[in-house]
Amino acid sequence: AAETHGREVFAKYCSTCHTLKASNAVGKVGPNLDTLHPPKGLILDAIANGRARGQGQMPAGLVDGEDAQDVADYVAAVAGRG
């Protein structure tokens, strides 16, 4: 259930910028998550703090709480395996 929810949240908030084969996402603004293979901790940090010290394309706090946890679990589980 958490992975399904993470996939849904990723589709809504992340897929326009990031490539992730498991979600059929082909965004070109953010890094290709299949190539990056980010661990859960890095994903949670990026979600909480944004990137480029808040001056980059990814804003801080795009999702939070259980949504952030589920997205991080989902991406960490499927990145590079899609």
Side-chain angles (χ1 to χ4, degrees), residues 10 17-21 27 29-47 50-51 58 72 75-82:
F10 182 89
C17 293
H18 291 285
T19 293
L20 184 64
K21 188 174 180 183
V29 176
N32 179 328
L33 299 174
D34 288 317
T35 303
L36 190 60
H37 297 225
K40 182 178 179 179
L42 179 62
I43 298 163
L44 287 171
D45 181 72
I47 291 170
R51 279 296 170 250
M58 185 172 169
V75 173
V78 302
R81 296 172 188 85

